[in-house]
Amino acid sequence: ISKRRPMNETLSHEKKALSAKAIEKMKSGDKDKSDIGENVGLRVSCGKTGKKSFFYRYRSPIDGSIKQYPIGVYPEVTLSEARVKLKELKIERSKGVCPKARLEQEKIDHQKNKAITEQKKERDAFTIHSLVDLYLDDVICDRQILDSKTGNIKFIKGARKLKGQSETRRTLYTDVVKVLGDMPAIEVTKRDVVTMINNIINRGSKVQGGRVLAELNLAYEYAIGIGKLPEDFPNPAILAKASFKQSRIKLTAKKGTRYLVDDEIKRVLKWLPMSGFSLKHKQILQIAFWTGCRTGEICGAEWCDVNFDSKTWYIKATKNETARYVQLSDECVAYLKCIYESHLLEFAGALPKYIFFSNSTQKPILQKTLSETKWRLKNPEKIKNHKYSSDQVWLTEIDDWSPHDIRRTVRTGLSRLGCPKEVAEAILGHSKKGIEGVYDLHEYETECAIWLQKWSNHLFTILEN
């Protein structure tokens, strides 16, 4: 009778340590092979494609569940390397750490770090230049987009009129993009913005500094609103604005109080024809004296809006966005007729669209060119090779004045002649305030015509005396 061997003796005889040769012989569908002795827990599996992989099978020290930790693919990872890695994992497990849980956490952390890195790269690429362009393209300027429903190009008007669009672009590019353009928008600090605005103030452009700060603030607010910057990001323009307010530095213009008295009006009107202003500038200023209109409104005047028979000029776009008819005095009508006839001769009957147009663009000349020319006339010594004669330079016999002061001069002069307040305000195109603007919708056109003719007669009297 044969003696039965003890069970433990049979198991030790059947189990063998893993070998490279045994691993190489493994085929798809074979059972996992496991190591023995001090390497117990190390296993090899052969997948459907024949790929052989090492893994560590163990009980988690955290919850006692069975876990499998991937070690590597054979033969890129050799058996000896897998056993070395196994020892490291066992030491880790002996310290109460679950290698699989640690690996999964590392993957999560890696994904988070990768996302943070990509987000940082994206934010670093979002510079002040990008911020400004985003604000201009999406908010300020007219734009065209593709309608996803119809497939047609859709036109969307910008938040500003064409002139305002170009001015906003010039304002932001001249100072903000030039100084801070390459900096990531998220890294710009209050100090950076304050330094930039102080530099603008130091060159004598306090109002421009205020405009720059206001536009930069709006650009940041838009970027934060659409998620280009974090919601909790401290807008440096707002912080800079608060800093200037705390230090009581005003970035707005002083309220204008300058107007010309009769003697000053006489001197200006006699000097204007021989001044260094261009012919079109002279014509604009002369019409401003007759009508009290903004010089910017006169710059954009079109021939189709002038009616010589009714002695009116229709303004479609005004500062308060209310169209109105400007009544023209006999002298102003005669003056415009002279310009009209000269245009007919110059363009062989093909009348240009605008009365005061730029020769290079055929668009209305910009109002700011008046202020620029005034500066050159006032500071000829700062201009290299200037060609102004003593008669053409700025009139220094009276206190300094600006083109917009003409509007204030007309309003004050009308009051001195006894013009009723409501008529004088209608002449300037000011909208009625409060309850009066709700119920009094009369436009005083007849009265405006009468009082503008009186004002024109007064100007004639001034020049004759």
Side-chain angles (χ1 to χ4, degrees):
I1 299 171
S2 61
K3 294 183 180 179
R4 184 177 292 178
R5 293 181 181 180
M7 185 178 291
N8 57 354
E9 184 179 341
T10 304
L11 290 175
S12 62
H13 177 74
E14 292 177 354
K15 285 189 175 182
K16 293 183 180 180
L18 280 175
S19 65
K21 189 174 182 179
I23 294 173
E24 289 174 359
K25 287 182 178 181
M26 288 181 70
K27 296 179 181 179
S28 175
D30 288 351
K31 291 183 179 180
D32 296 348
K33 290 185 179 295
S34 57
D35 217 343
I36 61 173
E38 62 179 0
N39 296 318
V40 68
L42 178 63
R43 295 194 177 195
V44 183
S45 65
C46 185
K48 292 181 180 181
T49 60
K51 185 174 75 171
K52 298 149 189 175
S53 304
F54 292 111
F55 62 91
Y56 173 35
R57 184 178 174 86
Y58 66 96
R59 284 192 180 277
S60 170
I62 297 174
D63 57 12
S65 61
I66 300 296
K67 302 287 184 181
Q68 292 191 160
Y69 183 97
I71 293 178
V73 177
Y74 182 85
E76 285 81 6
V77 176
T78 64
L79 178 58
S80 59
E81 290 172 340
R83 285 170 171 166
V84 170
K85 182 64 178 176
L86 176 71
K87 290 178 181 179
E88 294 175 359
L89 295 173
K90 285 189 172 184
I91 293 172
E92 187 176 2
R93 179 172 170 270
S94 67
K95 294 178 180 179
V97 176
C98 177
K100 182 66 179 292
R102 186 259 306 159
L103 180 64
E104 290 174 349
Q105 186 60 47
E106 285 178 354
K107 287 182 179 179
I108 293 172
D109 293 342
H110 176 71
Q111 291 297 325
K112 284 183 179 179
N113 292 334
K114 185 178 178 181
I116 292 171
T117 302
E118 290 176 354
Q119 191 176 34
K120 187 177 185 303
K121 285 182 180 179
E122 184 180 347
R123 288 177 180 175
D124 287 347
F126 187 62
T127 62
I128 287 292
H129 197 158
S130 306
L131 175 86
V132 168
D133 284 343
L134 178 71
Y135 172 62
L136 291 172
D137 295 341
D138 286 8
V139 180
I140 298 300
C141 299
D142 298 339
R143 58 197 181 279
Q144 293 180 336
I145 63 171
L146 181 65
D147 193 325
S148 58
K149 293 183 179 179
T150 63
N152 299 327
I153 300 297
K154 187 177 180 182
F155 178 80
I156 300 178
K157 290 190 69 175
R160 311 272 171 88
K161 294 180 180 178
L162 288 177
K163 181 183 176 183
Q165 292 174 20
S166 60
E167 283 298 311
T168 305
R169 184 176 294 276
R170 183 183 65 83
T171 296
L172 289 171
Y173 264 78
T174 301
D175 290 300
V176 178
V177 173
K178 184 178 179 181
V179 178
L180 304 174
D182 294 333
M183 289 186 65
I186 201 167
E187 292 182 7
V188 174
T189 64
K190 178 185 77 172
R191 177 174 291 184
D192 296 324
V193 178
V194 169
T195 301
M196 177 183 68
I197 301 301
N198 278 330
N199 289 335
I200 298 173
I201 295 172
N202 292 337
R203 72 174 187 238
S205 303
K206 180 176 67 173
V207 176
Q208 178 68 7
R211 292 194 185 114
V212 169
L213 185 58
E215 295 295 348
L216 180 60
N217 174 40
L218 292 173
Y220 260 111
E221 288 297 298
Y222 179 70
I224 294 171
I226 65 171
K228 279 289 185 179
L229 294 169
E231 289 184 5
D232 57 350
F233 175 71
N235 183 340
I238 286 183
L239 298 177
K241 187 176 181 180
S243 179
F244 282 110
K245 185 176 181 180
Q246 187 176 14
S247 57
R248 299 191 178 184
I249 298 176
K250 293 186 177 180
L251 300 175
T252 55
K254 292 181 180 179
K255 188 176 180 180
T257 58
R258 177 76 168 108
Y259 69 93
L260 304 176
V261 297
D262 287 355
D263 182 61
E264 292 175 325
I265 294 173
K266 179 178 180 178
R267 289 174 183 270
V268 170
L269 289 177
K270 286 191 172 183
W271 165 79
L272 189 58
M274 66 182 73
S275 70
F277 280 112
S278 69
L279 175 60
K280 291 175 182 176
H281 284 163
K282 293 173 184 177
Q283 293 167 342
I284 290 169
L285 293 172
Q286 181 63 64
I287 293 173
F289 270 108
W290 274 317
T291 62
C293 290
R294 300 176 181 90
T295 51
E297 294 171 342
I298 302 172
C299 287
E302 300 180 25
W303 279 120
C304 64
D305 295 326
V306 176
N307 189 320
F308 291 121
D309 294 330
S310 63
K311 299 180 183 180
T312 59
W313 162 36
Y314 181 65
I315 301 182
K316 296 188 285 287
T318 63
K319 187 176 181 180
N320 57 17
E321 298 184 353
T322 303
R324 64 188 176 98
Y325 282 95
V326 176
Q327 308 301 312
L328 305 174
S329 64
D330 293 338
E331 291 75 13
C332 189
V333 169
Y335 193 76
L336 283 170
K337 280 184 177 179
C338 289
I339 300 174
Y340 181 84
E341 291 169 359
S342 68
H343 280 186
L344 287 177
L345 288 173
E346 183 179 355
F347 298 98
L351 202 65
K353 180 179 180 180
Y354 299 102
I355 302 176
F356 306 106
F357 58 89
S358 166
N359 292 328
S360 58
T361 65
Q362 302 303 308
K363 294 181 179 180
I365 62 175
L366 299 176
Q367 190 274 340
K368 68 175 183 178
T369 60
L370 281 165
S371 301
E372 291 170 351
T373 303
K374 179 212 164 177
W375 185 89
R376 289 195 294 270
L377 296 177
K378 191 177 178 182
N379 303 278
E381 72 283 353
K382 296 182 180 180
I383 304 172
K384 188 177 181 180
N385 301 324
H386 76 84
K387 299 179 180 179
Y388 299 122
S389 66
S390 58
D391 292 333
Q392 291 178 314
V393 297
W394 193 245
L395 191 63
T396 57
E397 299 172 13
I398 62 175
D399 292 339
D400 190 30
W401 58 280
S402 70
H404 191 73
D405 292 334
I406 298 174
R407 184 169 165 83
R408 198 175 294 107
T409 298
V410 174
R411 176 65 179 84
T412 305
L414 287 168
S415 292
R416 291 172 63 189
L417 292 177
C419 176
K421 177 182 177 181
E422 58 272 16
V423 177
E425 288 296 291
I427 286 174
L428 264 62
H430 287 163
S431 47
K432 302 181 184 74
K433 303 293 188 295
I435 199 69
E436 182 183 0
V438 176
Y439 289 100
D440 183 6
L441 304 180
H442 181 48
E443 296 180 351
Y444 300 96
E445 291 181 353
T446 302
E447 295 85 348
C448 288
I450 293 171
W451 279 99
L452 277 173
Q453 187 59 55
K454 288 183 179 182
W455 170 249
S456 181
N457 296 340
H458 180 66
L459 293 177
F460 179 80
T461 304
I462 291 173
L463 287 171
E464 288 298 304
N465 291 338

